[in-house]
Amino acid sequence: MKRKKIVAGNWKMNTTKEEAEKLAASIVQSSQAFQGVEKIVFPPFPFLQAVKTIVNNTANFFVGAQNCNHHDKGAYTGEVSAAMLKSVGCDYVLIGHSERRQYFTEDNIQLLSKTEQALTNNLNVIFCFGEQLNERKNNQHFETVKKQLHGVLNFFPKNKTEQLVLAYEPVWAIGTGETATPAQAQEMHAFIRKTVAEIFSQEITEQISILYGGSCNAQNAPELFSCPDVDGGLIGGASLNADEFCKIIGSFG
Ligand code: PEP
C-alpha cells in the first residue's frame, strides 16, 4: 500500500462561523484538481458541523477536531468528547499539539486516554510531537522525539495503526516563520520512521504518513514535500488563506 499524501489545516482559535464557512467553501473549490491528496481541515468546535456540511460530498476531504477530552462523558463542564465529535461528522482529531502540551499541560497519561477515546469512537488520530528550541540547540532533539513517540505509541494497538498519522512539529518552527530545512525535516522523519518500525514493525512504519508542521507555506512546501519521508504537512497560519493553503496542497511533485 502506498502511503497517503495529506495536507491538514489547523485553524486554531480563529474565524467566525461565516468566515469558517467561506474558507471551507473556497478550499473545496480551489483544491479540486488535487484528487490524489487527502485534505483535512480542523475548524474550531462550534463550526465543525457547518464545515462538514460544506465539504461533505467532496472526495478525499475530511473534517477533524483540534482536541477531545480524555473522558468518555460526564460532569466535565465545557469539555467535548470523542463521541460528540464523531456524531457531528468528524473523521480526525489532533492529539498532542504543542500548544495543548504547553498551555493546557497535557501529559502522556492524558494523551494516551485521549487516543483511546478517539480510537473507541472510530476517529483517526493525528499525533503531534516535536522538540523545543533548546533541545535542538543541545542536540537532544532525537532523544526528545523518541521519548514522545514511545510515550504514546507503545500503548497504541498494533491492529489500529491504519487510524494513525504522525505530525512532526518542532516547537521552534510553529508560528515563528522559521521552518526546518528540508534536510532537517528528512533527517528527523527518517528517524521517526525507524523508531516507529522498532515500536510496531517495518511493514507498518512504511504505511504511516508522517507530516511536517511548522511555518510551512506555499514557498517552502514543494521542497519539504519532495523529501522521501515527508508525506505532507500540518499547516497552521497558512491554512487560514484558501489560496495559500491550496497552493500547499498542490505542492507534491
Ligand atoms: C501548527 O500549529 O500545527 C502549525 C504548524 O502552525 P504554523 O503553520 O502556523 O507554524
Side-chain angles (χ1 to χ4, degrees):
M1 191 184 89
K2 256 188 102 199
R3 279 197 297 275
K4 281 191 280 191
K5 305 268 177 229
I6 300 173
V7 176
N10 174 11
W11 297 357
K12 308 195 186 188
M13 198 171 75
N14 292 298
T15 73
T16 59
K17 179 168 182 266
E18 201 184 336
E19 287 164 352
E21 288 173 332
K22 213 170 141 204
L23 180 57
S26 303
I27 297 171
V28 166
Q29 171 83 27
S30 308
S31 66
Q32 267 166 7
F34 312 118
Q35 291 293 322
V37 181
E38 183 168 310
K39 282 85 68 183
I40 315 164
V41 290
F42 291 85
F45 285 142
F47 314 139
L48 285 169
Q49 201 158 14
V51 169
K52 176 69 182 177
T53 305
I54 288 166
V55 311
N56 216 5
N57 294 317
T58 313
N60 227 359
F61 206 126
F62 301 93
V63 172
Q66 299 169 21
N67 181 33
C68 69
N69 190 264
H70 51 290
H71 296 285
D72 61 345
K73 62 176 170 180
Y76 302 102
T77 303
E79 290 299 298
V80 175
S81 72
M84 292 172 188
L85 298 175
K86 191 67 191 181
S87 74
V88 294
C90 283
D91 282 300
Y92 278 92
V93 63
L94 294 181
I95 291 183
H97 191 282
S98 67
E99 287 153 15
R100 301 290 318 170
R101 293 179 193 254
Q102 184 181 347
Y103 304 133
F104 303 94
T105 57
E106 292 187 359
D107 57 14
N108 277 348
I109 296 180
Q110 267 192 46
L111 300 184
L112 271 171
S113 305
K114 282 169 188 260
T115 303
E116 222 173 274
Q117 287 301 325
L119 295 180
T120 302
N121 288 285
N122 276 324
L123 290 168
N124 300 305
V125 169
I126 299 193
F127 177 59
C128 310
F129 53 90
E131 80 281 0
Q132 307 275 344
L133 182 58
N134 66 321
E135 292 168 322
R136 180 157 283 265
K137 280 188 173 159
N138 294 329
N139 210 24
Q140 294 168 331
H141 45 298
F142 293 117
E143 198 183 314
T144 298
V145 162
K146 190 169 187 167
K147 255 197 216 149
Q148 290 172 320
L149 287 171
H150 277 280
V152 170
L153 300 192
N154 282 355
F155 306 93
F156 196 101
K158 211 170 170 174
N159 63 348
K160 297 220 167 162
T161 51
E162 273 180 21
Q163 282 172 257
L164 176 65
V165 172
L166 299 175
Y168 167 60
E169 300 203 296
V171 179
W172 48 270
I174 296 183
T176 59
E178 196 170 331
T179 321
T181 63
Q184 284 173 324
Q186 172 54 29
E187 183 186 36
M188 182 56 91
H189 281 227
F191 174 79
I192 293 161
R193 204 169 301 286
K194 181 171 143 279
T195 305
V196 173
E198 286 159 12
I199 297 170
F200 298 126
S201 71
Q202 189 60 36
E203 195 188 344
I204 288 175
T205 201
E206 293 296 342
Q207 292 173 3
I208 294 179
S209 300
I210 308 177
L211 314 183
Y212 168 79
S215 299
C216 189
N217 57 38
Q219 277 72 50
N220 57 36
E223 246 201 295
L224 284 163
F225 293 2
S226 70
C227 299
D229 286 294
V230 177
D231 304 305
L234 177 54
I235 320 298
S239 70
L240 293 168
N241 178 312
D243 284 347
E244 176 88 6
F245 188 61
C246 291
K247 278 187 194 142
I248 297 173
I249 296 170
S251 291
F252 293 96

